[in-house]
Amino acid sequence: MTYAVVTGWGKCLPPSILSNADLATFLDTSDEWIRTRTGIAERRIAHTGLTDMAEVAARRALAAAGMAPSQVELVVFGTTSFDDQAPNQASGLQQVLGATAAAAMDVNTACTSFLYAWSTANALIRTGVVKNALVVGGEVISRFMDWRNRNVAVLFGDGCAALVLEATDREEGLLGEKLGCDVGGRDALVIRGMGSRYADFSRRMGVTEWVFDGPEIFRRAVAGMARAAHEVLAARGLTPADVDLLVPHQANLRIIEAVAQKLSIPAERAFVNVQRYGNMSAATVPVALVEALEEGRVRPGSLLLMPAFGAGLTWCAH
Ligand code: UT7
C-alpha cells in the first residue's frame, strides 16, 4: 500500500505587522473588542503578490525535503486570492521555481483550501499518478478586504506555507480525512466584486464588499469541525484522547476553544497562533503545522487532528 509522507515544510509571513491599535486609527473598533471576541492581537500584510510569498515557502519546504524543483511532479495550490484569473496560481509558482516537470492545479474551497489540496495530492500519490507533490496554502486577503467594514477587516491577514509529500510504503502522512460542505450556510460569507458576475461594466469589478454573518458562521463552524473530527477519528478506531496535537483552522480563539471543548481535548494539546496572524484563510493550517514542527511539538509518529471550515460553508477534518 502506498502512502504520502511529509518530507519538507516551510512558511513565509510578510514582515509588516498591522496591530489592533493600528486598525482602531481608521475603524470604529478597539484592541479590547478584537482581543476578547477573537483572540487576535495582530496580523501580517503582504507587500508582494502571492507568487512571491509562495516561492519563499516552497523553496524552504523543498530544501527541507532535499528535493530540487526539477524533481517536483505536481504542484497543488490552495487559495482564494490568486494573482490572476488565468493562468492558475500553481503554474505561477511552478514558473518561478523552475519546476518544469510538474503538473499544476489550484484548489479553492476558501479557508479549507490547503487541506482539500492536501487530500487531492495525497490521493494522486496514493493511486500512483505522481510520486511526489508540493502542496501550498497561501493568501493575500488584504487586497480583497473591504477596509471600511469593521466586521471583517479586523479578522484577516496574509501568509503562506508549503509541504512536500513523497510516496512511501510506511503508513504515514495523511491517514484519513472527512470532507463536506454545509451549503445551507452558503450565503453567510460572500465576497462580492470579484468574478464573472461583476464583469458587465455596470458594477465595479475589483471593489469588494463582504457579506458576513459572523455568529452564523461561528455556530456552523464549531458544529461542522467537531462532527468531522469525531467521524475521521472513529473511521480509524481512534478517539480524541489518542490525538497528540490539535492543529485547527485559526479563525477565532473562541472557535478553537469551543471545538477543543467539544472534543475534550485540553488547551495544552491545541496549537494556537491566531493571536499573531489572524485568519489567513488557506494559510492558517499549514503555517500552524510548520510552527508546531519548528517548536518541537510534532515528533515522528505524532497523531495530529486538523479540522477546518471556510466559505461555502466547506468543512473538513484530517
Ligand atoms: O474562516 C471563516 C471566516 N469567518 C469567521 O471566522 C467568522 C466566525 N465568527 C466570529 O469569529 C465571530 O462571530 C465574530 C468575531 C465575527 C463576532 O463575534 P460575536 O461575539 O459573534 O459578536 P457579534 O457579531 O454578535 O457582534 C457584537 C457587537 C455588534 O454590536 P451590537 O449589534 O451588539 O451593538 C457588532 O456591531 O460587536 C460589534 N462589532 C464590533 N465592535 C467593535 C462587530 N465588529 C466589531 C469591531 N469592533 N471590529
Side-chain angles (χ1 to χ4, degrees), residues 29 33 37-38 111 150-151 154 189 212 214-215 218 249 251-252 254 279 309:
T29 190
W33 191 95
R37 296 299 179 116
T38 72
C111 297
R150 69 176 183 177
N151 294 323
V154 305
L189 205 184
F212 188 83
F218 194 117
H249 175 45
N252 183 325
R254 289 160 54 217
N279 182 350
F309 70 96

mmCIF file with all atom_site columns, all heavy atoms in Angstrom, residues 29 33 37-38 111 150-151 154 189 212 214-215 218 249 251-252 254 279 309, ligand 1:
data_model
loop_
_atom_site.group_PDB
_atom_site.id
_atom_site.type_symbol
_atom_site.label_atom_id
_atom_site.label_alt_id
_atom_site.label_comp_id
_atom_site.label_asym_id
_atom_site.label_entity_id
_atom_site.label_seq_id
_atom_site.pdbx_PDB_ins_code
_atom_site.Cartn_x
_atom_site.Cartn_y
_atom_site.Cartn_z
_atom_site.occupancy
_atom_site.B_iso_or_equiv
_atom_site.pdbx_formal_charge
_atom_site.auth_seq_id
_atom_site.auth_comp_id
_atom_site.auth_asym_id
_atom_site.auth_atom_id
_atom_site.pdbx_PDB_model_num
ATOM   1   N N   . THR A 1 29  ? -13.331 50.586 16.217 1.00 0.00 ? 29  THR A N   1
ATOM   2   C CA  . THR A 1 29  ? -13.074 49.324 16.915 1.00 0.00 ? 29  THR A CA  1
ATOM   3   C C   . THR A 1 29  ? -12.035 49.589 18.001 1.00 0.00 ? 29  THR A C   1
ATOM   4   O O   . THR A 1 29  ? -11.574 50.717 18.172 1.00 0.00 ? 29  THR A O   1
ATOM   5   C CB  . THR A 1 29  ? -12.595 48.249 15.922 1.00 0.00 ? 29  THR A CB  1
ATOM   6   O OG1 . THR A 1 29  ? -12.573 46.991 16.592 1.00 0.00 ? 29  THR A OG1 1
ATOM   7   C CG2 . THR A 1 29  ? -11.214 48.548 15.363 1.00 0.00 ? 29  THR A CG2 1
ATOM   8   N N   . TRP A 1 33  ? -11.951 45.011 22.155 1.00 0.00 ? 33  TRP A N   1
ATOM   9   C CA  . TRP A 1 33  ? -13.021 44.266 21.470 1.00 0.00 ? 33  TRP A CA  1
ATOM   10  C C   . TRP A 1 33  ? -12.412 43.124 20.649 1.00 0.00 ? 33  TRP A C   1
ATOM   11  O O   . TRP A 1 33  ? -12.870 41.982 20.719 1.00 0.00 ? 33  TRP A O   1
ATOM   12  C CB  . TRP A 1 33  ? -13.847 45.177 20.551 1.00 0.00 ? 33  TRP A CB  1
ATOM   13  C CG  . TRP A 1 33  ? -15.103 44.499 20.039 1.00 0.00 ? 33  TRP A CG  1
ATOM   14  C CD1 . TRP A 1 33  ? -16.352 44.581 20.567 1.00 0.00 ? 33  TRP A CD1 1
ATOM   15  C CD2 . TRP A 1 33  ? -15.204 43.579 18.927 1.00 0.00 ? 33  TRP A CD2 1
ATOM   16  N NE1 . TRP A 1 33  ? -17.226 43.791 19.864 1.00 0.00 ? 33  TRP A NE1 1
ATOM   17  C CE2 . TRP A 1 33  ? -16.552 43.162 18.849 1.00 0.00 ? 33  TRP A CE2 1
ATOM   18  C CE3 . TRP A 1 33  ? -14.299 43.070 18.002 1.00 0.00 ? 33  TRP A CE3 1
ATOM   19  C CZ2 . TRP A 1 33  ? -17.017 42.270 17.876 1.00 0.00 ? 33  TRP A CZ2 1
ATOM   20  C CZ3 . TRP A 1 33  ? -14.758 42.167 17.028 1.00 0.00 ? 33  TRP A CZ3 1
ATOM   21  C CH2 . TRP A 1 33  ? -16.094 41.779 16.969 1.00 0.00 ? 33  TRP A CH2 1
ATOM   22  N N   . ARG A 1 37  ? -13.158 39.181 21.606 1.00 0.00 ? 37  ARG A N   1
ATOM   23  C CA  . ARG A 1 37  ? -14.065 38.462 20.713 1.00 0.00 ? 37  ARG A CA  1
ATOM   24  C C   . ARG A 1 37  ? -13.358 37.462 19.824 1.00 0.00 ? 37  ARG A C   1
ATOM   25  O O   . ARG A 1 37  ? -13.979 36.525 19.323 1.00 0.00 ? 37  ARG A O   1
ATOM   26  C CB  . ARG A 1 37  ? -14.827 39.441 19.806 1.00 0.00 ? 37  ARG A CB  1
ATOM   27  C CG  . ARG A 1 37  ? -15.744 40.400 20.523 1.00 0.00 ? 37  ARG A CG  1
ATOM   28  C CD  . ARG A 1 37  ? -16.833 39.683 21.283 1.00 0.00 ? 37  ARG A CD  1
ATOM   29  N NE  . ARG A 1 37  ? -17.677 40.627 21.983 1.00 0.00 ? 37  ARG A NE  1
ATOM   30  C CZ  . ARG A 1 37  ? -18.971 40.811 21.727 1.00 0.00 ? 37  ARG A CZ  1
ATOM   31  N NH1 . ARG A 1 37  ? -19.564 40.109 20.797 1.00 0.00 ? 37  ARG A NH1 1
ATOM   32  N NH2 . ARG A 1 37  ? -19.656 41.695 22.415 1.00 0.00 ? 37  ARG A NH2 1
ATOM   33  N N   . THR A 1 38  ? -12.052 37.680 19.562 1.00 0.00 ? 38  THR A N   1
ATOM   34  C CA  . THR A 1 38  ? -11.373 36.826 18.575 1.00 0.00 ? 38  THR A CA  1
ATOM   35  C C   . THR A 1 38  ? -10.041 36.239 19.042 1.00 0.00 ? 38  THR A C   1
ATOM   36  O O   . THR A 1 38  ? -9.558  35.281 18.456 1.00 0.00 ? 38  THR A O   1
ATOM   37  C CB  . THR A 1 38  ? -11.050 37.622 17.286 1.00 0.00 ? 38  THR A CB  1
ATOM   38  O OG1 . THR A 1 38  ? -9.981  38.545 17.543 1.00 0.00 ? 38  THR A OG1 1
ATOM   39  C CG2 . THR A 1 38  ? -12.260 38.397 16.775 1.00 0.00 ? 38  THR A CG2 1
ATOM   40  N N   . CYS A 1 111 ? -11.289 28.876 3.185  1.00 0.00 ? 111 CYS A N   1
ATOM   41  C CA  . CYS A 1 111 ? -10.310 28.636 4.269  1.00 0.00 ? 111 CYS A CA  1
ATOM   42  C C   . CYS A 1 111 ? -9.848  27.187 4.365  1.00 0.00 ? 111 CYS A C   1
ATOM   43  O O   . CYS A 1 111 ? -8.812  26.904 4.963  1.00 0.00 ? 111 CYS A O   1
ATOM   44  C CB  . CYS A 1 111 ? -10.876 29.082 5.614  1.00 0.00 ? 111 CYS A CB  1
ATOM   45  S SG  . CYS A 1 111 ? -11.226 30.836 5.696  1.00 0.00 ? 111 CYS A SG  1
ATOM   46  N N   . ARG A 1 150 ? -15.683 47.012 9.639  1.00 0.00 ? 150 ARG A N   1
ATOM   47  C CA  . ARG A 1 150 ? -15.006 46.508 10.842 1.00 0.00 ? 150 ARG A CA  1
ATOM   48  C C   . ARG A 1 150 ? -15.378 45.066 11.168 1.00 0.00 ? 150 ARG A C   1
ATOM   49  O O   . ARG A 1 150 ? -14.648 44.377 11.884 1.00 0.00 ? 150 ARG A O   1
ATOM   50  C CB  . ARG A 1 150 ? -15.346 47.395 12.049 1.00 0.00 ? 150 ARG A CB  1
ATOM   51  C CG  . ARG A 1 150 ? -16.790 47.292 12.505 1.00 0.00 ? 150 ARG A CG  1
ATOM   52  C CD  . ARG A 1 150 ? -17.032 48.110 13.761 1.00 0.00 ? 150 ARG A CD  1
ATOM   53  N NE  . ARG A 1 150 ? -18.409 47.938 14.235 1.00 0.00 ? 150 ARG A NE  1
ATOM   54  C CZ  . ARG A 1 150 ? -18.893 48.460 15.324 1.00 0.00 ? 150 ARG A CZ  1
ATOM   55  N NH1 . ARG A 1 150 ? -18.119 49.247 16.077 1.00 0.00 ? 150 ARG A NH1 1
ATOM   56  N NH2 . ARG A 1 150 ? -20.136 48.257 15.695 1.00 0.00 ? 150 ARG A NH2 1
ATOM   57  N N   . ASN A 1 151 ? -16.529 44.615 10.641 1.00 0.00 ? 151 ASN A N   1
ATOM   58  C CA  . ASN A 1 151 ? -16.935 43.221 10.905 1.00 0.00 ? 151 ASN A CA  1
ATOM   59  C C   . ASN A 1 151 ? -15.936 42.219 10.349 1.00 0.00 ? 151 ASN A C   1
ATOM   60  O O   . ASN A 1 151 ? -15.812 41.108 10.858 1.00 0.00 ? 151 ASN A O   1
ATOM   61  C CB  . ASN A 1 151 ? -18.309 42.929 10.290 1.00 0.00 ? 151 ASN A CB  1
ATOM   62  C CG  . ASN A 1 151 ? -19.407 43.720 10.947 1.00 0.00 ? 151 ASN A CG  1
ATOM   63  O OD1 . ASN A 1 151 ? -19.374 43.931 12.157 1.00 0.00 ? 151 ASN A OD1 1
ATOM   64  N ND2 . ASN A 1 151 ? -20.357 44.189 10.159 1.00 0.00 ? 151 ASN A ND2 1
ATOM   65  N N   . VAL A 1 154 ? -10.963 43.379 10.785 1.00 0.00 ? 154 VAL A N   1
ATOM   66  C CA  . VAL A 1 154 ? -10.131 43.071 11.956 1.00 0.00 ? 154 VAL A CA  1
ATOM   67  C C   . VAL A 1 154 ? -9.759  41.590 12.023 1.00 0.00 ? 154 VAL A C   1
ATOM   68  O O   . VAL A 1 154 ? -8.931  41.202 12.844 1.00 0.00 ? 154 VAL A O   1
ATOM   69  C CB  . VAL A 1 154 ? -10.851 43.471 13.275 1.00 0.00 ? 154 VAL A CB  1
ATOM   70  C CG1 . VAL A 1 154 ? -11.265 44.941 13.236 1.00 0.00 ? 154 VAL A CG1 1
ATOM   71  C CG2 . VAL A 1 154 ? -12.057 42.597 13.581 1.00 0.00 ? 154 VAL A CG2 1
ATOM   72  N N   . LEU A 1 189 ? -21.187 33.900 4.088  1.00 0.00 ? 189 LEU A N   1
ATOM   73  C CA  . LEU A 1 189 ? -19.894 34.525 3.785  1.00 0.00 ? 189 LEU A CA  1
ATOM   74  C C   . LEU A 1 189 ? -19.715 34.607 2.273  1.00 0.00 ? 189 LEU A C   1
ATOM   75  O O   . LEU A 1 189 ? -19.478 33.594 1.614  1.00 0.00 ? 189 LEU A O   1
ATOM   76  C CB  . LEU A 1 189 ? -18.734 33.724 4.404  1.00 0.00 ? 189 LEU A CB  1
ATOM   77  C CG  . LEU A 1 189 ? -17.427 34.471 4.716  1.00 0.00 ? 189 LEU A CG  1
ATOM   78  C CD1 . LEU A 1 189 ? -16.360 33.518 5.234  1.00 0.00 ? 189 LEU A CD1 1
ATOM   79  C CD2 . LEU A 1 189 ? -16.886 35.326 3.608  1.00 0.00 ? 189 LEU A CD2 1
ATOM   80  N N   . PHE A 1 212 ? -21.238 39.021 5.456  1.00 0.00 ? 212 PHE A N   1
ATOM   81  C CA  . PHE A 1 212 ? -20.586 38.246 6.510  1.00 0.00 ? 212 PHE A CA  1
ATOM   82  C C   . PHE A 1 212 ? -21.480 38.182 7.737  1.00 0.00 ? 212 PHE A C   1
ATOM   83  O O   . PHE A 1 212 ? -21.708 39.191 8.396  1.00 0.00 ? 212 PHE A O   1
ATOM   84  C CB  . PHE A 1 212 ? -19.265 38.954 6.860  1.00 0.00 ? 212 PHE A CB  1
ATOM   85  C CG  . PHE A 1 212 ? -18.367 38.200 7.788  1.00 0.00 ? 212 PHE A CG  1
ATOM   86  C CD1 . PHE A 1 212 ? -17.511 37.214 7.319  1.00 0.00 ? 212 PHE A CD1 1
ATOM   87  C CD2 . PHE A 1 212 ? -18.343 38.502 9.137  1.00 0.00 ? 212 PHE A CD2 1
ATOM   88  C CE1 . PHE A 1 212 ? -16.663 36.538 8.175  1.00 0.00 ? 212 PHE A CE1 1
ATOM   89  C CE2 . PHE A 1 212 ? -17.494 37.836 10.006 1.00 0.00 ? 212 PHE A CE2 1
ATOM   90  C CZ  . PHE A 1 212 ? -16.655 36.849 9.523  1.00 0.00 ? 212 PHE A CZ  1
ATOM   91  N N   . GLY A 1 214 ? -21.154 36.744 11.029 1.00 0.00 ? 214 GLY A N   1
ATOM   92  C CA  . GLY A 1 214 ? -20.192 36.134 11.948 1.00 0.00 ? 214 GLY A CA  1
ATOM   93  C C   . GLY A 1 214 ? -20.788 35.100 12.887 1.00 0.00 ? 214 GLY A C   1
ATOM   94  O O   . GLY A 1 214 ? -20.302 33.948 12.940 1.00 0.00 ? 214 GLY A O   1
ATOM   95  N N   . PRO A 1 215 ? -21.839 35.441 13.632 1.00 0.00 ? 215 PRO A N   1
ATOM   96  C CA  . PRO A 1 215 ? -22.392 34.461 14.582 1.00 0.00 ? 215 PRO A CA  1
ATOM   97  C C   . PRO A 1 215 ? -22.905 33.191 13.896 1.00 0.00 ? 215 PRO A C   1
ATOM   98  O O   . PRO A 1 215 ? -22.765 32.091 14.432 1.00 0.00 ? 215 PRO A O   1
ATOM   99  C CB  . PRO A 1 215 ? -23.535 35.244 15.248 1.00 0.00 ? 215 PRO A CB  1
ATOM   100 C CG  . PRO A 1 215 ? -23.122 36.680 15.135 1.00 0.00 ? 215 PRO A CG  1
ATOM   101 C CD  . PRO A 1 215 ? -22.410 36.783 13.819 1.00 0.00 ? 215 PRO A CD  1
ATOM   102 N N   . PHE A 1 218 ? -19.911 31.158 12.984 1.00 0.00 ? 218 PHE A N   1
ATOM   103 C CA  . PHE A 1 218 ? -19.361 30.636 14.240 1.00 0.00 ? 218 PHE A CA  1
ATOM   104 C C   . PHE A 1 218 ? -20.072 29.334 14.619 1.00 0.00 ? 218 PHE A C   1
ATOM   105 O O   . PHE A 1 218 ? -19.433 28.300 14.866 1.00 0.00 ? 218 PHE A O   1
ATOM   106 C CB  . PHE A 1 218 ? -19.541 31.701 15.335 1.00 0.00 ? 218 PHE A CB  1
ATOM   107 C CG  . PHE A 1 218 ? -18.747 31.481 16.585 1.00 0.00 ? 218 PHE A CG  1
ATOM   108 C CD1 . PHE A 1 218 ? -17.776 32.392 16.974 1.00 0.00 ? 218 PHE A CD1 1
ATOM   109 C CD2 . PHE A 1 218 ? -18.983 30.381 17.406 1.00 0.00 ? 218 PHE A CD2 1
ATOM   110 C CE1 . PHE A 1 218 ? -17.037 32.206 18.141 1.00 0.00 ? 218 PHE A CE1 1
ATOM   111 C CE2 . PHE A 1 218 ? -18.260 30.192 18.579 1.00 0.00 ? 218 PHE A CE2 1
ATOM   112 C CZ  . PHE A 1 218 ? -17.291 31.103 18.945 1.00 0.00 ? 218 PHE A CZ  1
ATOM   113 N N   . HIS A 1 249 ? -7.950  25.048 12.002 1.00 0.00 ? 249 HIS A N   1
ATOM   114 C CA  . HIS A 1 249 ? -8.048  26.335 11.305 1.00 0.00 ? 249 HIS A CA  1
ATOM   115 C C   . HIS A 1 249 ? -8.094  27.447 12.352 1.00 0.00 ? 249 HIS A C   1
ATOM   116 O O   . HIS A 1 249 ? -8.782  27.332 13.368 1.00 0.00 ? 249 HIS A O   1
ATOM   117 C CB  . HIS A 1 249 ? -9.316  26.347 10.452 1.00 0.00 ? 249 HIS A CB  1
ATOM   118 C CG  . HIS A 1 249 ? -9.589  27.652 9.775  1.00 0.00 ? 249 HIS A CG  1
ATOM   119 N ND1 . HIS A 1 249 ? -8.609  28.368 9.114  1.00 0.00 ? 249 HIS A ND1 1
ATOM   120 C CD2 . HIS A 1 249 ? -10.733 28.385 9.659  1.00 0.00 ? 249 HIS A CD2 1
ATOM   121 C CE1 . HIS A 1 249 ? -9.137  29.469 8.628  1.00 0.00 ? 249 HIS A CE1 1
ATOM   122 N NE2 . HIS A 1 249 ? -10.417 29.517 8.945  1.00 0.00 ? 249 HIS A NE2 1
ATOM   123 N N   . ALA A 1 251 ? -9.292  30.843 12.994 1.00 0.00 ? 251 ALA A N   1
ATOM   124 C CA  . ALA A 1 251 ? -10.143 31.968 12.618 1.00 0.00 ? 251 ALA A CA  1
ATOM   125 C C   . ALA A 1 251 ? -10.463 32.825 13.824 1.00 0.00 ? 251 ALA A C   1
ATOM   126 O O   . ALA A 1 251 ? -10.578 34.049 13.715 1.00 0.00 ? 251 ALA A O   1
ATOM   127 C CB  . ALA A 1 251 ? -11.442 31.469 11.987 1.00 0.00 ? 251 ALA A CB  1
ATOM   128 N N   . ASN A 1 252 ? -10.612 32.170 14.973 1.00 0.00 ? 252 ASN A N   1
ATOM   129 C CA  . ASN A 1 252 ? -11.051 32.866 16.182 1.00 0.00 ? 252 ASN A CA  1
ATOM   130 C C   . ASN A 1 252 ? -10.706 31.957 17.355 1.00 0.00 ? 252 ASN A C   1
ATOM   131 O O   . ASN A 1 252 ? -11.039 30.766 17.345 1.00 0.00 ? 252 ASN A O   1
ATOM   132 C CB  . ASN A 1 252 ? -12.581 33.093 16.093 1.00 0.00 ? 252 ASN A CB  1
ATOM   133 C CG  . ASN A 1 252 ? -13.114 33.876 17.270 1.00 0.00 ? 252 ASN A CG  1
ATOM   134 O OD1 . ASN A 1 252 ? -12.650 33.743 18.395 1.00 0.00 ? 252 ASN A OD1 1
ATOM   135 N ND2 . ASN A 1 252 ? -14.121 34.684 17.008 1.00 0.00 ? 252 ASN A ND2 1
ATOM   136 N N   . ARG A 1 254 ? -11.999 31.745 20.179 1.00 0.00 ? 254 ARG A N   1
ATOM   137 C CA  . ARG A 1 254 ? -13.197 31.177 20.811 1.00 0.00 ? 254 ARG A CA  1
ATOM   138 C C   . ARG A 1 254 ? -13.724 29.987 20.023 1.00 0.00 ? 254 ARG A C   1
ATOM   139 O O   . ARG A 1 254 ? -14.279 29.050 20.606 1.00 0.00 ? 254 ARG A O   1
ATOM   140 C CB  . ARG A 1 254 ? -14.277 32.256 20.946 1.00 0.00 ? 254 ARG A CB  1
ATOM   141 C CG  . ARG A 1 254 ? -13.917 33.323 22.013 1.00 0.00 ? 254 ARG A CG  1
ATOM   142 C CD  . ARG A 1 254 ? -14.712 34.599 21.793 1.00 0.00 ? 254 ARG A CD  1
ATOM   143 N NE  . ARG A 1 254 ? -16.127 34.363 21.732 1.00 0.00 ? 254 ARG A NE  1
ATOM   144 C CZ  . ARG A 1 254 ? -16.974 35.017 20.911 1.00 0.00 ? 254 ARG A CZ  1
ATOM   145 N NH1 . ARG A 1 254 ? -16.528 35.947 20.090 1.00 0.00 ? 254 ARG A NH1 1
ATOM   146 N NH2 . ARG A 1 254 ? -18.252 34.743 20.918 1.00 0.00 ? 254 ARG A NH2 1
ATOM   147 N N   . ASN A 1 279 ? -6.869  35.422 10.831 1.00 0.00 ? 279 ASN A N   1
ATOM   148 C CA  . ASN A 1 279 ? -7.335  34.360 9.943  1.00 0.00 ? 279 ASN A CA  1
ATOM   149 C C   . ASN A 1 279 ? -6.682  34.534 8.568  1.00 0.00 ? 279 ASN A C   1
ATOM   150 O O   . ASN A 1 279 ? -7.025  35.454 7.827  1.00 0.00 ? 279 ASN A O   1
ATOM   151 C CB  . ASN A 1 279 ? -8.860  34.429 9.840  1.00 0.00 ? 279 ASN A CB  1
ATOM   152 C CG  . ASN A 1 279 ? -9.441  33.339 8.969  1.00 0.00 ? 279 ASN A CG  1
ATOM   153 O OD1 . ASN A 1 279 ? -8.716  32.627 8.282  1.00 0.00 ? 279 ASN A OD1 1
ATOM   154 N ND2 . ASN A 1 279 ? -10.757 33.213 8.983  1.00 0.00 ? 279 ASN A ND2 1
ATOM   155 N N   . PHE A 1 309 ? -12.868 24.959 8.528  1.00 0.00 ? 309 PHE A N   1
ATOM   156 C CA  . PHE A 1 309 ? -14.101 25.348 7.848  1.00 0.00 ? 309 PHE A CA  1
ATOM   157 C C   . PHE A 1 309 ? -13.808 26.602 7.041  1.00 0.00 ? 309 PHE A C   1
ATOM   158 O O   . PHE A 1 309 ? -12.827 27.303 7.285  1.00 0.00 ? 309 PHE A O   1
ATOM   159 C CB  . PHE A 1 309 ? -15.219 25.635 8.856  1.00 0.00 ? 309 PHE A CB  1
ATOM   160 C CG  . PHE A 1 309 ? -14.982 26.896 9.638  1.00 0.00 ? 309 PHE A CG  1
ATOM   161 C CD1 . PHE A 1 309 ? -15.563 28.101 9.249  1.00 0.00 ? 309 PHE A CD1 1
ATOM   162 C CD2 . PHE A 1 309 ? -14.140 26.902 10.728 1.00 0.00 ? 309 PHE A CD2 1
ATOM   163 C CE1 . PHE A 1 309 ? -15.307 29.276 9.945  1.00 0.00 ? 309 PHE A CE1 1
ATOM   164 C CE2 . PHE A 1 309 ? -13.872 28.074 11.425 1.00 0.00 ? 309 PHE A CE2 1
ATOM   165 C CZ  . PHE A 1 309 ? -14.458 29.263 11.033 1.00 0.00 ? 309 PHE A CZ  1
HETATM 166 O O1  . UT7 B 2 .   ? -12.782 31.323 8.244  1.00 0.00 ? 1   UT7 B O1  1
HETATM 167 C C1  . UT7 B 2 .   ? -14.128 31.729 8.033  1.00 0.00 ? 1   UT7 B C1  1
HETATM 168 C C2  . UT7 B 2 .   ? -14.283 33.200 8.338  1.00 0.00 ? 1   UT7 B C2  1
HETATM 169 N N1  . UT7 B 2 .   ? -15.299 33.540 9.264  1.00 0.00 ? 1   UT7 B N1  1
HETATM 170 C C3  . UT7 B 2 .   ? -15.152 33.535 10.615 1.00 0.00 ? 1   UT7 B C3  1
HETATM 171 O O2  . UT7 B 2 .   ? -14.215 33.062 11.145 1.00 0.00 ? 1   UT7 B O2  1
HETATM 172 C C4  . UT7 B 2 .   ? -16.242 34.191 11.452 1.00 0.00 ? 1   UT7 B C4  1
HETATM 173 C C5  . UT7 B 2 .   ? -16.679 33.426 12.645 1.00 0.00 ? 1   UT7 B C5  1
HETATM 174 N N2  . UT7 B 2 .   ? -17.347 34.322 13.570 1.00 0.00 ? 1   UT7 B N2  1
HETATM 175 C C6  . UT7 B 2 .   ? -16.674 35.023 14.523 1.00 0.00 ? 1   UT7 B C6  1
HETATM 176 O O3  . UT7 B 2 .   ? -15.479 34.865 14.642 1.00 0.00 ? 1   UT7 B O3  1
HETATM 177 C C7  . UT7 B 2 .   ? -17.463 35.936 15.439 1.00 0.00 ? 1   UT7 B C7  1
HETATM 178 O O4  . UT7 B 2 .   ? -18.844 35.779 15.205 1.00 0.00 ? 1   UT7 B O4  1
HETATM 179 C C8  . UT7 B 2 .   ? -17.066 37.435 15.250 1.00 0.00 ? 1   UT7 B C8  1
HETATM 180 C C9  . UT7 B 2 .   ? -15.684 37.681 15.821 1.00 0.00 ? 1   UT7 B C9  1
HETATM 181 C C10 . UT7 B 2 .   ? -17.107 37.809 13.788 1.00 0.00 ? 1   UT7 B C10 1
HETATM 182 C C11 . UT7 B 2 .   ? -18.048 38.339 16.025 1.00 0.00 ? 1   UT7 B C11 1
HETATM 183 O O5  . UT7 B 2 .   ? -18.105 37.957 17.378 1.00 0.00 ? 1   UT7 B O5  1
HETATM 184 P P1  . UT7 B 2 .   ? -19.527 37.841 18.100 1.00 0.00 ? 1   UT7 B P1  1
HETATM 185 O O6  . UT7 B 2 .   ? -19.264 37.562 19.536 1.00 0.00 ? 1   UT7 B O6  1
HETATM 186 O O7  . UT7 B 2 .   ? -20.326 36.832 17.350 1.00 0.00 ? 1   UT7 B O7  1
HETATM 187 O O8  . UT7 B 2 .   ? -20.100 39.309 18.015 1.00 0.00 ? 1   UT7 B O8  1
HETATM 188 P P2  . UT7 B 2 .   ? -21.379 39.869 17.235 1.00 0.00 ? 1   UT7 B P2  1
HETATM 189 O O9  . UT7 B 2 .   ? -21.301 39.624 15.780 1.00 0.00 ? 1   UT7 B O9  1
HETATM 190 O O10 . UT7 B 2 .   ? -22.571 39.378 17.960 1.00 0.00 ? 1   UT7 B O10 1
HETATM 191 O O11 . UT7 B 2 .   ? -21.227 41.422 17.425 1.00 0.00 ? 1   UT7 B O11 1
HETATM 192 C C12 . UT7 B 2 .   ? -21.314 42.000 18.687 1.00 0.00 ? 1   UT7 B C12 1
HETATM 193 C C13 . UT7 B 2 .   ? -21.241 43.520 18.549 1.00 0.00 ? 1   UT7 B C13 1
HETATM 194 C C14 . UT7 B 2 .   ? -22.169 44.116 17.481 1.00 0.00 ? 1   UT7 B C14 1
HETATM 195 O O12 . UT7 B 2 .   ? -22.707 45.306 18.021 1.00 0.00 ? 1   UT7 B O12 1
HETATM 196 P P3  . UT7 B 2 .   ? -24.205 45.324 18.615 1.00 0.00 ? 1   UT7 B P3  1
HETATM 197 O O13 . UT7 B 2 .   ? -25.086 44.963 17.453 1.00 0.00 ? 1   UT7 B O13 1
HETATM 198 O O14 . UT7 B 2 .   ? -24.216 44.316 19.723 1.00 0.00 ? 1   UT7 B O14 1
HETATM 199 O O15 . UT7 B 2 .   ? -24.359 46.738 19.082 1.00 0.00 ? 1   UT7 B O15 1
HETATM 200 C C15 . UT7 B 2 .   ? -21.204 44.463 16.361 1.00 0.00 ? 1   UT7 B C15 1
HETATM 201 O O16 . UT7 B 2 .   ? -21.670 45.561 15.592 1.00 0.00 ? 1   UT7 B O16 1
HETATM 202 O O17 . UT7 B 2 .   ? -19.916 43.944 18.207 1.00 0.00 ? 1   UT7 B O17 1
HETATM 203 C C16 . UT7 B 2 .   ? -19.966 44.852 17.103 1.00 0.00 ? 1   UT7 B C16 1
HETATM 204 N N3  . UT7 B 2 .   ? -18.756 44.717 16.302 1.00 0.00 ? 1   UT7 B N3  1
HETATM 205 C C17 . UT7 B 2 .   ? -17.621 45.377 16.603 1.00 0.00 ? 1   UT7 B C17 1
HETATM 206 N N4  . UT7 B 2 .   ? -17.310 46.253 17.568 1.00 0.00 ? 1   UT7 B N4  1
HETATM 207 C C18 . UT7 B 2 .   ? -16.062 46.721 17.603 1.00 0.00 ? 1   UT7 B C18 1
HETATM 208 C C19 . UT7 B 2 .   ? -18.543 43.921 15.231 1.00 0.00 ? 1   UT7 B C19 1
HETATM 209 N N5  . UT7 B 2 .   ? -17.277 44.079 14.799 1.00 0.00 ? 1   UT7 B N5  1
HETATM 210 C C20 . UT7 B 2 .   ? -16.679 44.955 15.645 1.00 0.00 ? 1   UT7 B C20 1
HETATM 211 C C21 . UT7 B 2 .   ? -15.388 45.504 15.717 1.00 0.00 ? 1   UT7 B C21 1
HETATM 212 N N6  . UT7 B 2 .   ? -15.121 46.357 16.703 1.00 0.00 ? 1   UT7 B N6  1
HETATM 213 N N7  . UT7 B 2 .   ? -14.405 45.141 14.858 1.00 0.00 ? 1   UT7 B N7  1
#
